């Protein structure tokens, strides 16, 4: 508590992911001599913090200010494979390490207003931004066609404003009816922007966010102390939806795709 009816909460986090994946020549899982075989190393971490300031100082209002900052680092490379005469493994040169770094910032405010004993209203707004700090790839340059080079993608950024509003009605104790509408944005991930999927995808480093206008009506109830149930109907109208479009073909006939933005998708559900 930082003041009367005002509370401050902070959560910090550090998350790591390390993975080594090998693709062998065959189901004997011994040799990595084919051009399609590799030993790939991923080394990732995320570092961030969430700060929430909540106040009930204004009568019938619960106002929360949230600030969130998240840094993502992804490193990858195909490691060197040593020769082994006893197994027939040939020497295979490794790759230089490739680095991808993003920083995502969020600030939002929400107000839960008690109108009377039966009805509450919820309103909120937020600003989100994502800045690319570094993005590298090794292989064939996606613009020049030069092979076996370590190159940098152009840096980029994206931002979005989101909103929400809703009504919560409790006609009978432990029975809630919620109606809500919101605009929610989703930034394109590092994988969607930069992955070449072993040559089957063309990177799109400037791929921007998609956003959804979501409408929802939900009925929830509690029976006793152990049983809860909920029924919900929704419509999500996705604008500028991200999807993979076929843009060419490999020598073996398999398609080559690129993540692009489509005009609109609709997802109703119950």
């Amino acid at each position: 508590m930082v003041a009367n009816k005002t509370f401050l909460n902070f959560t910090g986090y550090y998350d790591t992911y390390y993975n080594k994946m090998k693709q062998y020549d065959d189901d004997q899982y011994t040799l990595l001599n084919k051009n399609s075989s590799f030993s790939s190393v991923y080394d990732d971490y995320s570092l961030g913090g969430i700060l929430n300031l909540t106040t009930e100082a204004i009568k019938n209002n619960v106002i929360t200010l949230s600030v969130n900052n998240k840094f993502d680092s992804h490193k990858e490379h195909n490691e060197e494979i040593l020769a082994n005469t006893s197994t027939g493994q040939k020497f295979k040169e490794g790759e230089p390490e490739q680095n991808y770094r993003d920083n995502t910032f969020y600030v939002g405010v929400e107000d839960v207003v008690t109108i009377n004993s039966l009805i509450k209203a919820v309103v909120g707004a937020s600003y989100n931004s994502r800045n690319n700090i570094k993005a590298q790839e090794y292989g064939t340059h996606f613009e020049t066609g030069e092979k076996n080079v370590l190159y940098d993608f152009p840096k980029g950024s994206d931002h979005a404003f989101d909103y929400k509003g809703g009504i919560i009605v409790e006609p009978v104790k432990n029975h809630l009816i919620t109606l809500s509408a919101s605009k929610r944005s989703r930034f394109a991930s590092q994988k969607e922007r930069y992955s070449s999927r072993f040559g089957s995808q063309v990177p799109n480093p400037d791929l921007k966010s998609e956003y959804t206008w979501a409408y929802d009506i939900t009925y929830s109830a509690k029976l006793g102390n152990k049983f809860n149930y909920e029924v919900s109907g929704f419509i999500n109208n996705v604008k500028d939806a991200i999807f993979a479009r076929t843009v060419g073909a490999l020598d073996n006939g398999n398609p080559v795709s690129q993540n692009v933005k489509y005009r609109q998708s609709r997802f109703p559900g119950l």
Side-chain angles (χ1 to χ4, degrees):
M1 180 180 292
V2 294
N4 184 37
K5 297 184 178 182
T6 301
F7 309 90
L8 184 67
N9 174 265
F10 176 78
T11 301
Y13 57 88
Y14 176 70
D15 180 54
T16 62
Y17 173 79
Y18 182 86
N19 180 68
K20 183 180 288 188
M21 181 177 67
K22 296 178 185 288
Q23 179 163 303
Y24 289 89
D25 294 353
D26 51 41
D27 59 7
Q28 299 303 307
Y29 301 104
T30 302
L31 300 176
L32 299 133
N33 287 327
K34 290 183 178 180
N35 290 335
S36 59
S37 299
F38 57 83
S39 179
S40 175
V41 177
Y42 280 13
D43 188 4
D44 302 350
Y45 75 87
S46 295
L47 175 66
I50 304 169
L51 182 70
N52 290 323
L53 179 65
T54 301
T55 182
E56 301 175 16
I58 301 175
K59 185 179 180 180
N60 296 328
N61 289 260
V62 179
I63 302 171
T64 300
L65 173 69
S66 295
V67 180
N68 182 359
N69 196 77
K70 181 170 178 273
F71 175 79
D72 292 301
S73 172
H74 169 73
K75 298 178 183 178
E76 66 175 68
H77 71 284
N78 287 345
E79 64 181 357
E80 179 181 275
I81 300 171
L82 299 178
N84 188 330
T85 55
S86 63
T87 63
Q89 176 62 54
K90 300 175 182 178
F91 173 80
K92 184 173 283 189
E93 187 177 0
E95 296 178 349
E97 187 176 77
Q98 299 130 64
N99 289 272
Y100 301 81
R101 298 172 192 155
D102 280 347
N103 194 82
T104 305
F105 175 76
Y106 164 92
V107 59
V109 63
E110 177 189 81
D111 189 8
V112 180
V113 184
T114 300
I115 297 174
N116 55 44
S117 61
L118 302 179
I119 302 173
K120 293 180 180 179
V122 181
V123 292
S126 67
Y127 170 76
N128 312 269
S129 69
R130 188 212 57 228
N131 291 291
N132 171 248
I133 300 167
K134 181 176 281 293
Q136 297 178 310
E137 183 60 273
Y138 178 80
T140 302
H141 197 289
F142 78 108
E143 289 182 330
T144 68
E146 186 180 0
K147 295 184 177 181
N148 300 322
V149 293
L150 177 66
Y151 60 90
D152 289 282
F153 287 105
K155 296 179 182 179
S157 63
D158 199 1
H159 65 91
F161 290 95
D162 291 337
Y163 325 94
K164 69 176 182 180
I167 296 291
I168 304 170
V169 181
E170 188 176 18
V172 181
K173 185 178 180 180
N174 294 327
H175 291 259
L176 296 177
I177 300 171
T178 304
L179 297 92
S180 66
S182 62
K183 175 183 175 286
R184 301 194 299 262
S185 302
R186 185 185 74 85
F187 293 131
S189 67
Q190 289 183 350
K191 183 177 181 180
E192 288 171 324
R193 284 175 284 149
Y194 302 118
S195 176
S196 61
R197 292 182 180 268
F198 308 107
S200 65
Q201 182 169 286
V202 179
N204 188 355
D206 197 40
L207 186 63
K208 301 298 185 182
S209 60
E210 64 181 17
Y211 67 93
T212 301
W213 279 105
Y215 307 93
D216 178 277
I217 180 170
T218 298
Y219 167 70
S220 60
K222 180 186 295 186
L223 296 178
N225 296 322
K226 296 183 177 180
F227 184 67
N228 298 303
Y229 64 93
E230 181 177 287
V231 179
S232 182
F234 64 87
I235 297 176
N236 291 340
N237 289 325
V238 184
K239 307 287 186 178
D240 294 330
I242 297 171
F243 83 109
R245 180 180 64 186
T246 299
V247 294
L250 298 171
D251 293 339
N252 60 10
N254 290 335
V256 175
S257 63
Q258 184 181 45
N259 287 318
V260 297
K261 296 209 296 184
Y262 188 68
R263 287 180 297 177
Q264 182 172 335
S265 297
R266 174 171 291 184
F267 302 95
L270 180 64

